Amino acid sequence: MTLTIWVDDWQMQCCGEDFAVGDVVSWTLLEADPADYADVVGEKRASGIGFREEHHGRAGECAATSVEVLSIDEVHCRYEIPAGAADRMSLPVRDTAVLVPVDRADGWARSRPDVAFAGYLVTARRATGLPEGAVA
């Protein structure tokens, strides 16, 4: 069974560790509400997101999960201040997502025209059969 995991750009930039396709990583996974990602990745892709990787907030409340990374997509989208907004905060614009398959993630992405890097969609599977004493 595969898992689709959202990894925020800012979490990786703050204190995340680089990872690549084929790596076994140990992440704190929290259940995600797909609706939270619909504007960033599109409704269809968001519906498959089951978890988000977390370094902060509630991360200490959950045990880490070892997963093998099967694929990584950089997610870029357009941001704008909604008309009439009082707080001047830029929000993702629905249906502007650009997904770029990559082999490695380090929290930074090459800039793309008209969109900004938002994070990664990672497809993974739970790691099993790790050698005794292996760190994942």
Side-chain angles (χ1 to χ4, degrees):
M1 177 177 104
T2 61
L3 310 171
T4 302
I5 304 163
W6 175 257
V7 180
D8 285 303
D9 60 340
W10 68 269
Q11 295 241 24
M12 282 290 296
Q13 293 164 3
C14 168
C15 54
E17 293 183 23
D18 297 6
F19 61 94
V21 172
D23 284 354
V24 175
V25 295
S26 182
W27 284 345
T28 299
L29 299 178
L30 302 179
E31 285 190 35
D33 180 352
D36 292 342
Y37 303 96
D39 288 344
V40 177
V41 300
E43 207 164 314
K44 183 177 179 182
R45 287 298 301 252
S47 68
I49 298 173
F51 299 92
R52 61 185 176 87
E53 191 271 340
E54 179 65 50
H55 284 95
H56 305 89
R58 297 180 22 213
E61 299 173 15
C62 302
T65 301
S66 293
V67 295
E68 178 186 1
V69 176
L70 303 175
S71 69
I72 306 167
D73 286 307
E74 290 177 354
V75 178
H76 305 256
C77 69
R78 200 170 83 230
Y79 288 84
E80 66 183 28
I81 298 170
D87 62 8
R88 311 288 301 158
M89 184 172 159
S90 293
L91 298 174
V93 177
R94 187 177 288 258
D95 299 325
T96 62
V98 175
L99 277 64
V100 180
V102 295
D103 293 326
R104 173 168 293 286
D106 64 3
W108 305 95
R110 192 181 75 203
S111 59
R112 306 221 169 251
D114 302 320
V115 291
F117 177 53
Y120 299 100
L121 273 181
V122 177
T123 303
R125 67 174 161 234
R126 293 187 191 278
T128 57
L130 294 174
E132 189 172 325
V135 177

